[in-house]
Structures are given as structure tokens and as C-alpha cells.
Coordinates of all heavy atoms in Angstrom, one line a residue:
K1 N 0.8 -1.3 0.0 CA 0.0 0.0 0.0 C 0.9 1.3 0.0 O 0.5 2.2 -0.6 CB -0.9 -0.1 1.2 CG -2.0 0.9 1.1 CD -3.1 0.6 2.3 CE -4.3 1.6 2.0 NZ -5.3 1.2 2.9
R2 N 2.0 1.2 0.7 CA 2.9 2.3 0.7 C 3.4 2.8 -0.6 O 3.7 3.9 -1.0 CB 4.1 2.0 1.7 CG 5.0 3.1 2.0 CD 6.1 2.8 2.8 NE 7.3 2.4 2.1 CZ 8.1 1.4 2.2 NH1 7.9 0.5 3.0 NH2 9.1 1.4 1.4
D3 N 3.7 1.7 -1.5 CA 4.1 2.0 -2.9 C 3.1 2.4 -4.0 O 3.5 2.7 -5.0 CB 4.9 0.8 -3.4 CG 6.2 0.5 -2.5 OD1 6.7 1.4 -2.1 OD2 6.5 -0.7 -2.4
Y4 N 1.9 2.5 -3.5 CA 0.8 2.8 -4.5 C 0.8 4.4 -4.8 O 1.0 5.2 -4.0 CB -0.5 2.5 -3.9 CG -1.6 2.9 -4.9 CD1 -2.0 2.2 -6.0 CD2 -2.2 4.2 -4.6 CE1 -2.9 2.6 -6.8 CE2 -3.2 4.6 -5.5 CZ -3.6 3.9 -6.6 OH -4.5 4.3 -7.5
S5 N 0.7 4.6 -6.1 CA 0.4 6.0 -6.6 C -0.3 5.9 -7.9 O -0.4 4.9 -8.4 CB 1.8 6.7 -6.7 OG 2.4 6.3 -7.9
K6 N -0.8 7.0 -8.4 CA -1.4 7.1 -9.6 C -0.5 6.7 -10.8 O -0.8 6.1 -11.7 CB -2.0 8.4 -9.9 CG -3.1 8.5 -10.9 CD -4.3 7.6 -10.4 CE -5.5 7.9 -11.3 NZ -6.5 7.0 -11.1
L7 N 0.8 7.1 -10.6 CA 1.8 6.6 -11.6 C 1.9 5.1 -11.7 O 2.0 4.5 -12.8 CB 3.1 7.2 -11.3 CG 3.4 8.7 -11.7 CD1 4.7 9.3 -11.1 CD2 3.3 8.9 -13.1
V8 N 2.0 4.5 -10.5 CA 2.2 3.0 -10.5 C 0.9 2.4 -11.1 O 1.0 1.5 -11.9 CB 2.3 2.6 -9.0 CG1 2.2 1.0 -8.9 CG2 3.7 3.0 -8.5
E9 N -0.2 2.8 -10.8 CA -1.5 2.3 -11.3 C -1.5 2.5 -12.8 O -2.0 1.6 -13.5 CB -2.7 3.0 -10.7 CG -4.0 2.6 -11.2 CD -5.2 3.3 -10.7 OE1 -5.2 3.5 -9.4 OE2 -6.1 3.8 -11.4
T10 N -0.9 3.5 -13.3 CA -1.0 3.8 -14.7 C 0.1 3.1 -15.6 O -0.2 2.6 -16.7 CB -1.0 5.3 -15.0 OG1 -2.0 6.0 -14.2 CG2 -1.1 5.6 -16.5
F11 N 1.3 3.0 -15.0 CA 2.3 2.5 -15.8 C 3.0 1.2 -15.5 O 3.8 0.7 -16.2 CB 3.5 3.6 -15.8 CG 3.1 4.8 -16.5 CD1 2.8 6.0 -15.8 CD2 2.9 4.9 -17.9 CE1 2.4 7.2 -16.4 CE2 2.5 6.1 -18.5 CZ 2.3 7.3 -17.8
V12 N 2.7 0.7 -14.2 CA 3.5 -0.5 -13.9 C 2.7 -1.7 -14.0 O 1.5 -1.7 -13.7 CB 3.9 -0.4 -12.2 CG1 4.5 -1.7 -11.8 CG2 4.9 0.7 -12.1
G13 N 3.2 -2.8 -14.5 CA 2.6 -4.1 -14.6 C 3.4 -5.2 -14.0 O 4.5 -4.9 -13.4
Q14 N 2.9 -6.4 -14.1 CA 3.7 -7.6 -13.5 C 3.6 -8.7 -14.4 O 2.5 -9.0 -15.0 CB 3.1 -8.0 -12.2 CG 3.8 -9.0 -11.4 CD 3.2 -9.2 -10.1 OE1 2.1 -9.6 -10.0 NE2 4.1 -9.3 -9.0
I15 N 4.8 -9.4 -14.7 CA 4.9 -10.6 -15.5 C 5.2 -11.8 -14.5 O 5.9 -11.5 -13.5 CB 5.8 -10.5 -16.7 CG1 7.2 -10.1 -16.2 CG2 5.2 -9.6 -17.8 CD1 8.2 -10.1 -17.3
V16 N 4.9 -12.9 -14.9 CA 5.2 -14.1 -14.2 C 6.3 -14.9 -15.1 O 5.9 -15.2 -16.3 CB 4.0 -15.0 -14.0 CG1 4.5 -16.2 -13.2 CG2 3.1 -14.2 -13.1
S17 N 7.5 -15.2 -14.6 CA 8.5 -15.9 -15.4 C 8.5 -17.3 -14.8 O 8.8 -17.5 -13.6 CB 9.8 -15.2 -15.2 OG 10.8 -15.9 -15.9
T18 N 8.3 -18.3 -15.6 CA 8.3 -19.7 -15.2 C 9.3 -20.5 -15.9 O 9.3 -20.5 -17.1 CB 6.9 -20.4 -15.4 OG1 5.9 -19.6 -14.8 CG2 6.8 -21.8 -14.9
L19 N 10.2 -21.2 -15.2 CA 11.3 -22.0 -15.7 C 10.8 -23.4 -15.3 O 10.5 -23.7 -14.1 CB 12.7 -21.7 -15.1 CG 13.3 -20.5 -15.5 CD1 14.6 -20.2 -14.8 CD2 13.6 -20.4 -17.0
T20 N 11.0 -24.4 -16.3 CA 10.7 -25.8 -16.0 C 11.9 -26.6 -16.4 O 12.3 -26.5 -17.6 CB 9.4 -26.3 -16.8 OG1 8.3 -25.4 -16.4 CG2 9.0 -27.6 -16.5
C21 N 12.4 -27.4 -15.6 CA 13.6 -28.2 -15.9 C 13.1 -29.4 -16.8 O 12.1 -30.1 -16.5 CB 14.1 -28.9 -14.6 SG 15.5 -29.9 -14.8
S22 N 14.0 -29.6 -17.8 CA 13.5 -30.7 -18.7 C 13.9 -32.2 -18.2 O 13.5 -33.1 -18.7 CB 14.3 -30.6 -20.1 OG 15.7 -30.6 -20.0
V23 N 14.7 -32.2 -17.2 CA 15.1 -33.4 -16.5 C 14.3 -33.9 -15.4 O 13.7 -35.0 -15.5 CB 16.6 -33.4 -16.0 CG1 17.0 -34.6 -15.3 CG2 17.5 -33.0 -17.1
C24 N 14.0 -33.0 -14.5 CA 13.2 -33.4 -13.2 C 11.9 -32.8 -13.2 O 11.0 -33.2 -12.4 CB 14.0 -33.1 -11.9 SG 14.1 -31.4 -11.6
G25 N 11.6 -31.9 -14.1 CA 10.3 -31.2 -14.0 C 10.1 -30.1 -13.0 O 8.9 -29.6 -12.9
E26 N 11.1 -29.8 -12.3 CA 11.0 -28.8 -11.2 C 10.6 -27.5 -11.9 O 11.1 -27.1 -13.0 CB 12.4 -28.6 -10.5 CG 12.4 -27.5 -9.6 CD 11.7 -27.7 -8.2 OE1 11.2 -28.9 -8.0 OE2 11.7 -26.8 -7.5
V27 N 9.7 -26.7 -11.2 CA 9.1 -25.5 -11.8 C 9.5 -24.4 -10.8 O 9.2 -24.4 -9.6 CB 7.6 -25.6 -11.9 CG1 7.0 -24.2 -12.5 CG2 7.2 -26.6 -13.0
S28 N 10.2 -23.3 -11.4 CA 10.4 -22.1 -10.6 C 9.7 -20.9 -11.2 O 9.7 -20.7 -12.4 CB 11.9 -21.9 -10.8 OG 12.3 -20.6 -10.2
T29 N 9.0 -20.2 -10.3 CA 8.1 -19.1 -10.7 C 8.6 -17.9 -10.0 O 8.8 -17.9 -8.8 CB 6.7 -19.4 -10.4 OG1 6.2 -20.6 -11.0 CG2 5.7 -18.3 -10.8
V30 N 8.8 -16.8 -10.8 CA 9.2 -15.5 -10.2 C 8.2 -14.5 -10.8 O 7.9 -14.4 -12.0 CB 10.6 -15.1 -10.8 CG1 11.1 -13.8 -10.3 CG2 11.6 -16.2 -10.2
F31 N 7.7 -13.6 -9.9 CA 6.9 -12.5 -10.2 C 7.8 -11.2 -10.4 O 8.6 -10.9 -9.5 CB 5.8 -12.2 -9.2 CG 4.9 -13.3 -9.1 CD1 5.1 -14.5 -8.4 CD2 3.5 -13.2 -9.9 CE1 4.1 -15.5 -8.5 CE2 2.6 -14.3 -9.8 CZ 3.0 -15.4 -9.1
E32 N 7.7 -10.5 -11.5 CA 8.5 -9.3 -11.7 C 7.7 -8.1 -12.2 O 6.8 -8.3 -13.0 CB 9.6 -9.5 -12.8 CG 10.5 -10.7 -12.5 CD 11.4 -11.0 -13.7 OE1 12.1 -10.1 -14.0 OE2 11.4 -12.1 -14.2
Y33 N 7.9 -7.0 -11.5 CA 7.3 -5.8 -11.9 C 7.9 -5.1 -13.0 O 9.2 -5.3 -13.2 CB 7.1 -4.8 -10.7 CG 6.1 -5.1 -9.7 CD1 6.4 -5.9 -8.5 CD2 4.6 -5.0 -9.9 CE1 5.5 -6.2 -7.6 CE2 3.8 -5.5 -9.0 CZ 4.2 -6.0 -7.9 OH 3.3 -6.6 -6.9
F34 N 7.2 -4.4 -13.9 CA 7.9 -3.7 -15.0 C 7.3 -2.3 -15.2 O 6.1 -2.2 -14.9 CB 7.8 -4.5 -16.3 CG 6.4 -4.7 -16.9 CD1 5.8 -3.8 -17.7 CD2 5.7 -5.8 -16.5 CE1 4.6 -4.0 -18.2 CE2 4.4 -6.0 -17.0 CZ 3.9 -5.1 -17.8
W35 N 8.1 -1.5 -15.6 CA 7.7 -0.1 -16.0 C 7.7 0.0 -17.6 O 6.9 0.7 -18.3 CB 8.7 1.0 -15.5 CG 8.5 1.3 -14.1 CD1 9.0 0.7 -13.1 CD2 7.7 2.3 -13.5 NE1 8.7 1.2 -11.9 CE2 7.7 2.3 -12.2 CE3 6.9 3.3 -14.2 CZ2 7.2 3.1 -11.3 CZ3 6.2 4.2 -13.3 CH2 6.4 4.1 -11.9
D36 N 8.6 -0.8 -18.3 CA 8.6 -0.9 -19.7 C 9.0 -2.3 -20.1 O 9.6 -3.0 -19.2 CB 9.5 0.1 -20.3 CG 11.0 0.0 -19.7 OD1 11.3 -0.9 -19.0 OD2 11.8 0.8 -20.2
L37 N 8.8 -2.6 -21.3 CA 9.2 -4.0 -21.8 C 9.9 -3.9 -23.1 O 9.6 -3.0 -23.9 CB 7.9 -4.9 -22.0 CG 7.0 -5.3 -20.9 CD1 5.8 -5.9 -21.3 CD2 7.8 -6.2 -19.9
S38 N 10.8 -4.8 -23.3 CA 11.5 -4.9 -24.6 C 10.9 -6.1 -25.2 O 11.0 -7.3 -24.8 CB 13.0 -5.1 -24.4 OG 13.6 -4.1 -23.9
V39 N 10.1 -5.9 -26.3 CA 9.5 -7.0 -27.1 C 10.1 -7.2 -28.4 O 10.6 -6.2 -29.0 CB 7.9 -6.7 -27.2 CG1 7.2 -6.7 -25.8 CG2 7.7 -5.4 -27.9
P40 N 10.1 -8.4 -29.0 CA 10.5 -8.6 -30.3 C 9.7 -7.9 -31.3 O 8.5 -7.8 -31.2 CB 10.5 -10.2 -30.5 CG 9.6 -10.6 -29.4 CD 9.5 -9.6 -28.3
L41 N 10.3 -7.5 -32.3 CA 9.6 -6.8 -33.4 C 8.8 -7.8 -34.3 O 9.2 -8.9 -34.5 CB 10.6 -6.1 -34.4 CG 11.4 -4.9 -33.8 CD1 12.4 -4.4 -34.8 CD2 10.4 -3.8 -33.3
A42 N 7.7 -7.3 -34.7 CA 6.7 -8.1 -35.5 C 5.9 -7.1 -36.3 O 6.0 -5.9 -36.1 CB 5.9 -9.0 -34.7
S43 N 5.1 -7.6 -37.2 CA 4.2 -6.8 -38.0 C 3.1 -6.1 -37.3 O 2.5 -5.2 -37.9 CB 3.7 -7.6 -39.2 OG 2.9 -8.7 -38.6
S44 N 2.7 -6.6 -36.1 CA 1.6 -5.9 -35.3 C 1.9 -5.9 -33.8 O 2.7 -6.8 -33.4 CB 0.2 -6.6 -35.8 OG 0.2 -7.9 -35.1
V45 N 1.1 -5.1 -33.1 CA 1.3 -5.1 -31.7 C 1.0 -6.4 -31.0 O 1.6 -7.0 -30.2 CB 0.5 -4.0 -31.1 CG1 0.6 -4.1 -29.6 CG2 1.1 -2.6 -31.5
S46 N -0.2 -6.9 -31.5 CA -0.6 -8.3 -30.8 C 0.4 -9.4 -31.2 O 0.7 -10.2 -30.4 CB -1.9 -8.6 -31.4 OG -2.0 -8.8 -32.7
R47 N 1.0 -9.4 -32.4 CA 2.0 -10.4 -32.7 C 3.3 -10.2 -31.8 O 4.0 -11.2 -31.4 CB 2.4 -10.2 -34.1 CG 3.4 -11.3 -34.7 CD 2.9 -12.6 -34.6 NE 1.7 -12.8 -35.5 CZ 1.0 -13.8 -35.7 NH1 1.3 -14.9 -35.0 NH2 0.1 -13.9 -36.6
C48 N 3.7 -9.0 -31.6 CA 4.8 -8.6 -30.6 C 4.5 -9.2 -29.2 O 5.5 -9.9 -28.6 CB 5.1 -7.2 -30.5 SG 5.8 -6.4 -32.0
L49 N 3.4 -9.1 -28.7 CA 3.0 -9.5 -27.4 C 3.0 -11.1 -27.4 O 3.4 -11.7 -26.4 CB 1.8 -8.9 -26.9 CG 1.8 -7.5 -26.7 CD1 0.5 -6.8 -26.2 CD2 2.9 -7.0 -25.7
E50 N 2.4 -11.6 -28.5 CA 2.4 -13.2 -28.7 C 3.8 -13.7 -28.6 O 4.1 -14.7 -28.0 CB 1.7 -13.5 -30.0 CG 1.6 -14.9 -30.2 CD 0.9 -15.2 -31.5 OE1 -0.2 -14.6 -31.7 OE2 1.4 -16.0 -32.2
K51 N 4.8 -13.0 -29.3 CA 6.2 -13.5 -29.4 C 6.8 -13.4 -28.0 O 7.5 -14.3 -27.6 CB 6.9 -12.7 -30.4 CG 6.8 -13.2 -31.8 CD 7.6 -12.4 -32.7 CE 8.2 -13.3 -33.8 NZ 9.1 -12.4 -34.7
F52 N 6.5 -12.3 -27.4 CA 7.1 -12.0 -26.0 C 6.7 -13.2 -24.9 O 7.5 -13.5 -24.2 CB 6.6 -10.7 -25.5 CG 7.1 -10.3 -24.1 CD1 8.5 -9.8 -24.0 CD2 6.3 -10.4 -23.0 CE1 8.9 -9.5 -22.8 CE2 6.9 -10.0 -21.8 CZ 8.1 -9.6 -21.7
T53 N 5.5 -13.6 -25.1 CA 4.9 -14.7 -24.1 C 5.1 -16.1 -24.6 O 4.7 -17.0 -24.0 CB 3.5 -14.3 -23.8 OG1 2.7 -14.3 -24.9 CG2 3.4 -13.0 -23.1
S54 N 5.6 -16.3 -25.8 CA 5.9 -17.6 -26.3 C 6.9 -18.4 -25.4 O 7.8 -17.7 -24.9 CB 6.1 -17.7 -27.8 OG 7.5 -17.1 -28.0
T55 N 6.8 -19.7 -25.4 CA 7.8 -20.5 -24.8 C 9.1 -20.5 -25.5 O 9.2 -20.6 -26.6 CB 7.2 -22.0 -24.7 OG1 6.0 -22.1 -24.0 CG2 8.2 -22.9 -23.9
E56 N 10.1 -20.4 -24.6 CA 11.5 -20.3 -25.0 C 12.3 -21.4 -24.5 O 12.2 -21.8 -23.3 CB 12.1 -19.0 -24.5 CG 13.5 -18.7 -24.9 CD 14.0 -17.4 -24.3 OE1 13.3 -16.6 -23.7 OE2 15.2 -17.1 -24.6
I57 N 13.2 -22.1 -25.3 CA 14.1 -23.2 -24.8 C 15.3 -22.6 -24.4 O 16.0 -21.9 -25.3 CB 14.1 -24.3 -25.7 CG1 12.7 -24.9 -26.0 CG2 15.1 -25.4 -25.3 CD1 12.7 -25.9 -27.2
L58 N 15.8 -22.8 -23.2 CA 17.1 -22.3 -22.7 C 18.0 -23.5 -22.7 O 17.8 -24.4 -21.9 CB 17.0 -21.7 -21.3 CG 16.0 -20.5 -21.2 CD1 16.0 -20.1 -19.8 CD2 16.4 -19.4 -22.2
D59 N 19.0 -23.5 -23.6 CA 20.0 -24.7 -23.7 C 21.3 -24.1 -24.0 O 21.5 -22.9 -24.3 CB 19.4 -25.5 -24.8 CG 20.1 -27.0 -24.6 OD1 20.8 -27.2 -23.7 OD2 19.8 -27.8 -25.6
G60 N 22.4 -25.0 -24.0 CA 23.6 -24.5 -24.4 C 24.2 -23.6 -23.3 O 24.0 -23.8 -22.1
H61 N 24.7 -22.4 -23.7 CA 25.3 -21.5 -22.7 C 24.2 -20.7 -22.0 O 24.5 -20.1 -20.9 CB 26.2 -20.5 -23.4 CG 25.6 -19.6 -24.2 ND1 25.2 -19.8 -25.6 CD2 25.2 -18.2 -24.1 CE1 24.6 -18.7 -26.1 NE2 24.6 -17.9 -25.3
D62 N 23.0 -20.9 -22.4 CA 21.9 -20.2 -21.7 C 21.1 -21.0 -20.6 O 20.2 -20.6 -19.9 CB 20.7 -19.8 -22.7 CG 21.0 -18.7 -23.6 OD1 21.9 -17.9 -23.2 OD2 20.5 -18.6 -24.7
R63 N 21.7 -22.2 -20.4 CA 21.1 -23.1 -19.5 C 21.1 -22.6 -18.0 O 22.2 -22.2 -17.6 CB 21.7 -24.5 -19.5 CG 21.5 -25.3 -20.7 CD 22.1 -26.7 -20.6 NE 23.5 -26.6 -20.4 CZ 24.3 -27.5 -20.1 NH1 23.8 -28.7 -19.9 NH2 25.6 -27.2 -19.9
P64 N 20.0 -22.4 -17.4 CA 20.0 -22.0 -15.9 C 20.2 -23.3 -15.1 O 20.2 -24.4 -15.5 CB 18.7 -21.5 -15.7 CG 17.9 -21.9 -16.9 CD 18.6 -22.4 -17.9
K65 N 20.6 -23.0 -13.8 CA 20.8 -24.1 -12.9 C 19.5 -24.4 -12.2 O 18.8 -23.6 -11.6 CB 21.8 -23.5 -11.8 CG 22.2 -24.6 -10.7 CD 23.3 -24.1 -9.8 CE 23.7 -25.1 -8.8 NZ 24.7 -24.6 -7.9
C66 N 19.2 -25.7 -12.3 CA 17.9 -26.3 -11.6 C 18.2 -26.3 -10.1 O 19.3 -26.8 -9.7 CB 17.6 -27.6 -12.2 SG 16.3 -28.4 -11.4
E67 N 17.3 -25.8 -9.4 CA 17.4 -25.8 -7.9 C 17.3 -27.1 -7.4 O 17.9 -27.4 -6.3 CB 16.3 -24.8 -7.3 CG 16.6 -23.4 -7.7 CD 15.4 -22.4 -7.1 OE1 14.6 -22.9 -6.3 OE2 15.4 -21.3 -7.6
K68 N 16.5 -28.0 -8.0 CA 16.3 -29.4 -7.5 C 17.5 -30.3 -7.9 O 18.0 -31.1 -7.0 CB 15.0 -30.0 -8.0 CG 14.7 -31.3 -7.4 CD 13.2 -31.7 -7.9 CE 12.9 -33.1 -7.3 NZ 11.5 -33.5 -7.7
C69 N 17.9 -30.2 -9.2 CA 19.0 -31.1 -9.6 C 20.4 -30.5 -9.2 O 21.3 -31.3 -9.2 CB 19.0 -31.1 -11.1 SG 17.5 -31.8 -12.0
N70 N 20.5 -29.2 -9.0 CA 21.7 -28.6 -8.6 C 22.6 -28.6 -9.7 O 23.9 -28.8 -9.5 CB 22.2 -29.1 -7.3 CG 23.1 -28.1 -6.6 OD1 22.9 -26.8 -6.8 ND2 24.1 -28.5 -5.9
E71 N 22.2 -28.6 -10.9 CA 23.1 -28.7 -12.2 C 22.4 -27.7 -13.2 O 21.3 -27.5 -13.1 CB 22.9 -30.1 -12.7 CG 23.5 -31.2 -11.9 CD 24.9 -31.5 -12.1 OE1 25.4 -31.1 -13.0 OE2 25.5 -32.1 -11.2
K72 N 23.3 -27.3 -14.1 CA 22.8 -26.5 -15.2 C 22.0 -27.4 -16.2 O 22.6 -28.6 -16.6 CB 23.9 -25.8 -16.0 CG 24.4 -24.6 -15.2 CD 25.3 -23.8 -16.1 CE 25.6 -22.5 -15.5 NZ 26.1 -21.6 -16.3
R73 N 20.8 -27.1 -16.4 CA 20.0 -28.0 -17.2 C 19.2 -27.4 -18.3 O 19.0 -26.1 -18.3 CB 18.8 -28.7 -16.4 CG 19.3 -29.6 -15.2 CD 19.9 -30.8 -15.7 NE 20.0 -31.7 -14.6 CZ 20.8 -32.8 -14.6 NH1 21.4 -33.1 -15.7 NH2 20.9 -33.5 -13.6
K74 N 18.8 -28.0 -19.4 CA 18.0 -27.4 -20.5 C 16.6 -27.2 -19.8 O 16.0 -28.1 -19.1 CB 17.8 -28.4 -21.6 CG 16.8 -28.1 -22.7 CD 16.9 -29.1 -23.8 CE 15.9 -28.8 -24.8 NZ 15.8 -29.9 -25.8
M75 N 16.1 -26.1 -20.0 CA 14.8 -25.7 -19.4 C 13.9 -24.9 -20.4 O 14.4 -24.3 -21.4 CB 15.0 -24.7 -18.2 CG 15.8 -25.4 -17.1 SD 15.5 -24.4 -15.6 CE 16.5 -25.4 -14.5
T76 N 12.6 -24.9 -20.2 CA 11.7 -24.0 -20.9 C 11.4 -22.8 -20.0 O 11.3 -22.9 -18.9 CB 10.4 -24.8 -21.4 OG1 9.7 -25.2 -20.2 CG2 10.7 -25.9 -22.2
K77 N 11.2 -21.7 -20.7 CA 11.0 -20.5 -20.0 C 9.7 -19.8 -20.6 O 9.5 -19.8 -21.9 CB 12.0 -19.4 -20.2 CG 11.7 -18.1 -19.5 CD 12.9 -17.2 -19.8 CE 12.6 -15.8 -19.1 NZ 13.7 -14.8 -19.3
R78 N 8.8 -19.5 -19.8 CA 7.5 -18.9 -20.3 C 7.2 -17.6 -19.5 O 7.2 -17.7 -18.3 CB 6.3 -20.0 -20.0 CG 5.0 -19.5 -20.4 CD 4.8 -19.5 -21.9 NE 3.6 -18.9 -22.2 CZ 2.6 -19.3 -22.9 NH1 2.8 -20.5 -23.5 NH2 1.6 -18.6 -23.2
L79 N 6.8 -16.6 -20.2 CA 6.4 -15.3 -19.5 C 4.9 -15.2 -19.8 O 4.4 -15.5 -20.8 CB 7.1 -14.1 -20.1 CG 8.7 -14.1 -20.0 CD1 9.2 -12.9 -20.8 CD2 9.1 -14.1 -18.6
C80 N 4.2 -14.7 -18.8 CA 2.8 -14.4 -18.9 C 2.4 -13.2 -18.1 O 3.2 -12.8 -17.2 CB 1.9 -15.7 -18.6 SG 1.9 -16.2 -16.9
W81 N 1.3 -12.6 -18.3 CA 0.9 -11.4 -17.7 C 0.2 -11.7 -16.4 O -0.6 -12.6 -16.3 CB -0.1 -10.6 -18.6 CG 0.4 -10.4 -19.9 CD1 0.0 -11.0 -21.1 CD2 1.4 -9.5 -20.3 NE1 0.7 -10.5 -22.1 CE2 1.6 -9.6 -21.7 CE3 2.3 -8.6 -19.6 CZ2 2.5 -8.9 -22.5 CZ3 3.2 -8.0 -20.4 CH2 3.3 -8.1 -21.8
S82 N 0.6 -11.0 -15.3 CA 0.0 -11.2 -14.0 C -1.0 -10.0 -13.9 O -2.1 -10.1 -13.6 CB 1.0 -11.3 -12.9 OG 0.3 -11.3 -11.6
E83 N -0.4 -8.7 -14.0 CA -1.1 -7.6 -14.0 C -0.6 -6.7 -15.1 O 0.6 -6.6 -15.4 CB -0.8 -6.8 -12.7 CG -1.3 -7.5 -11.5 CD -1.0 -6.8 -10.2 OE1 -0.8 -5.6 -10.3 OE2 -0.7 -7.5 -9.2
T84 N -1.5 -5.9 -15.8 CA -1.0 -5.0 -16.9 C -1.5 -3.6 -16.5 O -2.5 -3.4 -16.0 CB -1.5 -5.4 -18.2 OG1 -3.0 -5.3 -18.2 CG2 -1.1 -6.8 -18.6
P85 N -0.7 -2.6 -16.9 CA -1.2 -1.2 -16.7 C -2.2 -0.8 -17.8 O -2.7 0.2 -17.6 CB 0.2 -0.4 -16.9 CG 1.0 -1.2 -17.8 CD 0.6 -2.7 -17.5
F86 N -2.4 -1.7 -18.9 CA -3.4 -1.3 -19.8 C -4.8 -2.0 -19.8 O -5.3 -2.3 -20.8 CB -2.7 -1.4 -21.2 CG -1.8 -2.6 -21.4 CD1 -2.3 -3.8 -21.7 CD2 -0.5 -2.4 -21.1 CE1 -1.5 -4.9 -21.9 CE2 0.4 -3.5 -21.3 CZ -0.1 -4.8 -21.7
G87 N -5.0 -2.4 -18.5 CA -6.5 -2.8 -18.3 C -6.8 -4.3 -18.6 O -7.9 -4.7 -18.8
S88 N -5.8 -5.2 -18.8 CA -6.2 -6.6 -19.1 C -5.9 -7.5 -17.8 O -5.0 -7.3 -17.2 CB -5.3 -7.1 -20.1 OG -5.6 -6.4 -21.4

């Protein structure tokens, strides 16, 4: 409640980042607030947002460390909207 302001209501949103280990299936979820987003270019705004939230495979040098396996593993990453400043 202390961090609430009209600016926050108007411009701040929240995304959920989910990583899933391809070996053990462990799911790690992080909620992140944003003031702005870097989205991939596409022919339309809706296509940019679709690309931004599509599932990404993290492998090779991008592999994160699985908290359960305690090893760097191939994972899938998915972003989705939790709260948006534009009314959805």
C-alpha cells in the first residue's frame, strides 16, 4: 500500500516468469514488476506480445541451474501477464 500511486497504477505491470527443468520437471516461478518491456519486433502489436509470451528453450550457454538437480539443465521459459497497466 505504501508504494501505491497514480503513476504506479497507470504505468506498472507484473509478469510471471516460469522455468521448467527438462530433466526433473521442477518449476520455478518468479513475479517481476515492469515499467517498460523490450518486445521482439513483428508486423503488429498483438504479434509482438504473442512472441514475447511464447515458450523459449534455454539450452547451451543459456542453461540455468535447476534448484532441485543442482546442475545446469535445459529448461523451458514462459512469460505471462499477471497484471498489466493497460487494463487486461
Side-chain angles (χ1 to χ4, degrees):
K1 195 168 185 173
R2 188 179 99 226
D3 294 332
Y4 174 80
S5 74
K6 200 63 168 165
L7 283 174
V8 169
E9 180 182 313
T10 304
F11 295 108
V12 175
Q14 186 179 50
I15 56 173
V16 180
S17 176
T18 305
L19 290 176
T20 305
C21 179
S22 64
V23 175
C24 71
E26 176 76 2
V27 177
S28 171
T29 304
V30 175
F31 292 82
E32 301 176 58
Y33 286 100
F34 65 87
W35 284 85
D36 59 3
L37 294 172
S38 296
V39 296
L41 293 176
S43 58
S44 69
V45 171
S46 62
R47 181 67 63 188
C48 289
L49 296 178
E50 182 181 310
K51 283 181 140 187
F52 180 77
T53 58
S54 65
T55 301
E56 179 182 357
I57 296 174
L58 303 178
D59 199 8
H61 70 278
D62 289 337
R63 291 182 303 168
K65 186 175 182 179
C66 174
E67 294 175 14
K68 187 174 181 181
C69 297
N70 204 27
E71 300 268 342
K72 286 192 168 196
R73 300 286 194 197
K74 177 179 176 182
M75 295 194 184
T76 57
K77 178 180 179 180
R78 176 76 192 231
L79 298 175
C80 63
W81 309 108
S82 176
E83 299 174 29
T84 61
F86 39 86
S88 301

